[in-house]
Amino acid sequence: MSAPLLEVQDLLVRRGGATVLEVSALALAPGDVLALIGPNGAGKSTLLLTLAALLPPAAGTVRFQGEALDSERRRQAFRRRVTMVFQEPLLFDTTVGGNIATGLRLHGVSGAELTHRVQEAAEQFGIAHLLDRSARRLSGGEGQRAALARALALRPELLLLDEPFSALDPPTRSGLMDDLGRILADTGTTAVLATHDQAEAARLATRLAVMKDGRILQEGGLRQVMNHPGDPFVAAFVGMESLLPCRVVSATEGLLTLAVGGQEIIAVGEAEPGQCVLVGIRPEHVTLSLQTDKTSSARNQVPGTVTKVIPWGPFHRVELSCGFDLCTWVTPQSLAELALAPGRPVVAAFKATAVHVIRTDSQGGPEPLT
Amino acid sequence: MDLIWEGLRQALALLLALDPEVLGITLLSLKVSGLATLISVVLGLGLAVSVALNEFPGKRVVIALMNTGMGLPPVVVGLFVTVLLWRNGPFGFLGILYTPAAIILAQAVIATPIIAGLGLAALQHLPPALRLQILSLGATRSQMIWLLLKEARLPLLAAVMAGFGGVISEVGASIMVGGNLKGSTRVLTTATVMETSRGNFEVAFALSFILLVLAFSVNALLTHLQQRGRPR
């Protein structure tokens, strides 16, 4: 990893006497796109405001390119290199072009350079035809595009995004996310994105931090956190919907045989026989068939019964009882071909590598894991 | 009705003849209330901005006091200013009682809470995150305040109009601290009161008509400023 662009140490933010944010360490390398995910009230916005130097912390340091932002003068200077976009576009009561120009003027840009950069930013976000339109007469998507254009026109060294898509309808959101992802990649802009949607995070981010109650529970590369969540909360938040407490029966050459609900499943991981482990399985890694397939590479093929079928957007979510609870997604075609309905016996198949060990408890007990 | 028509006719005649006395009274009204409004804009907006942007204990009490101040009766202001400026009063040494300066002072006391109260409401009506948004675009604190005032310009200019309207039309304070002295502190409202009490209804109507035209002209100018450059 190259030298960190932004470094946070022992950060503590209080509001009304209560601690609302406590981050011991966080570092961003140039070009990183970090997604902060977590439920409402997890401290995502507070962390962004602190990183934007808009909220002075009660304790701890934020360093940008090695320089601590420890005085109002330094924070003020830093705010010219970082820009934040909020959930609401917060546009000024003027034209779209006037909005983009306002930010640039604050940065001392004027004349032909100003016109050029307003035009450039508007084109990047596909709103060049709206430059003379009043900001009060934009749709939600257009407004957020204008807000992003206003921010990116400043060529920030760090871009902070506080749920910028959450007020948009799905098609608008998807188009804007694609454009933003492309622009971030093209310009190599380092960014931090707060969201409560793991799919949004997966689409834009290179790194992922899961937050809860003002703390970062886990932070790392996107795939690392998605596939190796460190605790049940993180697992659930990154879409690992089936969480199973198991007992290790045997362990050989990195393969674990686990007992759960009267069945045995195979997982990849390290543990000692007799230990209790919590494993997670993503719904998209579970396939269904009517009988055991001897030719499959899936080490786990467990019989079970369908308990619930729920329409889930373009797919169906199927819940199974295999002695333990498991869930998966199927297409409408598969649903029809396999005649899936509550009570239908099926075989659920998943690879040993799809079973992710989340937590290992050293001492075995009857109900050690929750 | 005849009285009203006669008043209008006479008002036009006075205006067209550029009667020096009427002209003097009109210009003094404009000057006194204009300056008082200007002072109130500086003080009132300053107060509105500092209350809007800062959190401090007792903020609600201060806001309640500002809102109460919006309904300050001019005669009460007149009484207090008179007592303070009285020859033996604490500011008697200034010697400004019964001069236009005293009227300006009294009118500024009346208009400042109006502009501060309505100005504060205008600023508080802006989205709270807008300040953070402006700062994160790289603005200094004074640039942020300027952008916030610009963003609230519609209700803020309405506040200025309310302040001007309040002082150009008040009579109680002007008569108490000014004394309605001919050629020195006689303004349109005090002159109207005097002419009416003397039974010179035609002249009173003429003065009232001029007062209305004056109020309309100033507010038309402010409205023009308010709506200028506003995209449709």
Side-chain angles (χ1 to χ4, degrees):
Chain A
M1 192 167 118
S2 43
L5 182 76
L6 187 80
E7 217 178 346
V8 170
Q9 265 174 346
D10 302 317
L11 199 65
L12 195 67
V13 178
R14 287 203 181 89
R15 190 172 296 150
T19 300
V20 290
L21 186 72
E22 202 174 352
V23 174
S24 54
L26 182 68
L28 277 179
D32 276 350
V33 178
L34 170 71
L36 305 173
I37 66 171
N40 289 334
K44 307 186 294 287
S45 297
T46 308
L47 178 53
L48 283 181
L49 288 174
T50 314
L51 294 182
L54 292 170
L55 189 66
T61 50
V62 177
R63 279 197 171 78
F64 187 75
Q65 292 183 333
E67 191 186 331
L69 308 174
D70 51 7
S71 67
E72 188 48 39
R73 194 183 59 77
R74 282 182 172 171
R75 280 195 284 270
Q76 162 80 47
F78 170 68
R79 282 201 292 264
R80 298 178 76 83
R81 306 169 68 179
V82 58
T83 300
M84 184 155 168
V85 175
F86 294 78
Q87 187 172 346
E88 298 298 323
L90 295 171
L91 296 172
F92 301 114
D93 185 13
T94 172
T95 59
V96 170
N99 266 281
I100 302 174
T102 301
L104 286 165
R105 281 201 198 97
L106 290 173
H107 280 237
V109 180
S110 62
E113 167 83 356
L114 179 73
T115 319
H116 167 70
R117 281 175 68 175
V118 168
Q119 185 69 28
E120 182 188 65
E123 276 168 14
Q124 272 185 326
F125 282 94
I127 50 168
H129 61 294
L130 298 174
L131 279 175
D132 294 326
R133 171 94 55 99
S134 160
R136 293 282 179 269
R137 291 185 49 232
L138 298 176
S139 69
E142 290 166 346
Q144 205 52 277
R145 279 175 184 272
L148 283 164
R150 179 174 64 180
L152 264 302
L154 305 176
R155 297 178 186 160
E157 291 167 69
L158 176 65
L159 179 66
L160 304 167
L161 304 153
D162 192 2
E163 308 213 11
F165 313 114
S166 63
L168 306 179
D169 56 78
T172 309
R173 165 190 269 201
S174 183
L176 185 49
M177 249 193 273
D178 283 346
D179 284 354
L180 180 64
R182 181 174 46 75
I183 292 160
L184 288 182
D186 286 355
T187 54
T189 305
T190 312
V192 183
L193 165 76
T195 172
H196 52 253
D197 180 0
Q198 54 122 343
E200 200 172 294
R203 204 148 147 187
L204 288 172
T206 58
R207 301 183 69 77
L208 187 61
V210 181
M211 296 187 70
K212 186 192 178 191
D213 299 337
R215 291 164 187 272
I216 293 180
L217 296 182
Q218 190 176 354
E219 194 269 332
L222 180 69
R223 299 208 139 279
Q224 171 69 22
V225 178
M226 287 287 215
N227 290 330
H228 302 284
D231 76 38
F233 181 84
V234 175
F237 227 88
V238 298
M240 211 167 259
E241 296 190 37
S242 304
L243 296 177
L244 313 173
C246 313
R247 183 178 292 277
V248 180
V249 177
S250 67
T252 46
E253 293 171 6
L255 276 190
L256 302 173
T257 305
L258 307 170
V260 52
Q263 306 258 14
E264 285 197 347
I265 61 173
I266 311 293
V268 175
E270 300 291 335
E272 297 298 319
Q275 276 185 326
C276 283
V277 294
L278 183 72
V279 300
I281 304 169
R282 287 182 179 283
E284 62 267 35
H285 290 161
V286 177
T287 58
L288 297 181
S289 55
L290 294 180
Q291 53 201 3
T292 309
D293 183 359
K294 301 281 182 210
T295 62
S296 166
S297 70
R299 297 290 303 265
N300 296 298
Q301 306 215 6
V302 291
T305 313
V306 175
T307 55
K308 229 184 223 177
V309 178
I310 308 161
W312 205 262
F315 307 109
H316 285 78
R317 180 188 157 99
V318 176
E319 295 182 6
L320 311 167
S321 175
C322 311
F324 52 87
D325 292 336
L326 201 60
C327 86
T328 180
W329 293 329
V330 298
T331 58
Q333 290 85 346
S334 303
L335 190 80
E337 279 169 25
L338 300 177
L340 296 176
R344 175 85 164 160
V346 288
V347 175
F350 47 93
K351 296 168 136 194
T353 51
V355 185
H356 301 287
V357 176
I358 294 166
R359 203 170 73 193
T360 307
D361 275 18
S362 44
Q363 70 276 43
E367 291 287 328
L369 294 161
T370 49
Chain B
M1 282 305 284
D2 283 353
L3 271 177
I4 297 177
W5 288 120
E6 180 55 24
L8 282 177
R9 201 194 57 76
Q10 198 160 346
L12 274 174
L14 284 170
L15 276 178
L16 291 175
L18 292 176
D19 180 275
E21 196 186 339
V22 172
L23 206 62
I25 292 175
T26 307
L27 287 180
L28 184 66
S29 284
L30 191 61
K31 196 177 92 182
V32 165
S33 295
L35 274 173
T37 307
L38 206 65
I39 294 168
S40 303
V41 165
V42 174
L43 296 178
L45 285 191
L47 192 61
V49 166
S50 37
V51 173
L53 295 192
N54 294 298
E55 293 304 320
F56 51 88
K59 179 167 170 167
R60 277 165 187 244
V61 178
V62 171
I63 294 175
L65 283 175
M66 282 164 72
N67 290 335
T68 309
M70 286 163 62
L72 219 51
V75 287
V76 174
V77 176
L79 171 65
F80 275 94
V81 174
T82 305
V83 168
L84 289 175
L85 294 182
W86 199 253
R87 199 181 297 120
N88 301 324
F91 297 100
F93 65 91
L94 292 173
I96 58 168
L97 193 60
Y98 306 126
T99 68
I103 310 182
I104 293 172
L105 178 66
Q107 291 195 346
V109 172
I110 294 166
T112 298
I114 296 178
I115 294 177
L118 294 177
L120 176 65
L123 290 173
Q124 286 189 323
H125 191 65
L126 295 173
L130 186 63
R131 271 173 240 167
L132 299 173
Q133 175 68 81
I134 294 172
L135 286 176
S136 91
L137 290 171
T140 60
R141 195 173 158 82
S142 45
Q143 285 172 326
M144 176 195 62
I145 290 170
W146 171 243
L147 282 172
L148 287 178
L149 292 176
K150 221 170 120 184
E151 195 59 15
R153 66 187 178 277
L154 249 101
L156 285 180
L157 279 164
V160 175
M161 288 185 231
F164 179 77
V167 293
I168 190 78
S169 63
E170 73 78 29
V171 60
S174 294
I175 217 158
M176 289 162 87
V177 306
N180 191 29
L181 304 176
K182 185 176 179 179
S184 115
T185 60
R186 183 164 299 169
V187 292
L188 284 167
T189 51
T190 58
T192 306
V193 169
M194 184 189 70
E195 298 297 348
T196 307
S197 66
R198 285 178 179 172
N200 295 335
F201 296 125
E202 292 84 357
V203 183
F205 271 121
L207 292 169
S208 303
F209 182 65
I210 294 169
L211 184 62
L212 284 176
V213 170
L214 191 65
F216 175 79
S217 311
V218 171
N219 280 314
L221 179 74
L222 288 172
T223 308
H224 171 71
L225 284 177
Q226 185 187 44
Q227 304 292 333
R228 185 187 57 177
R230 187 172 152 71
R232 272 163 290 275

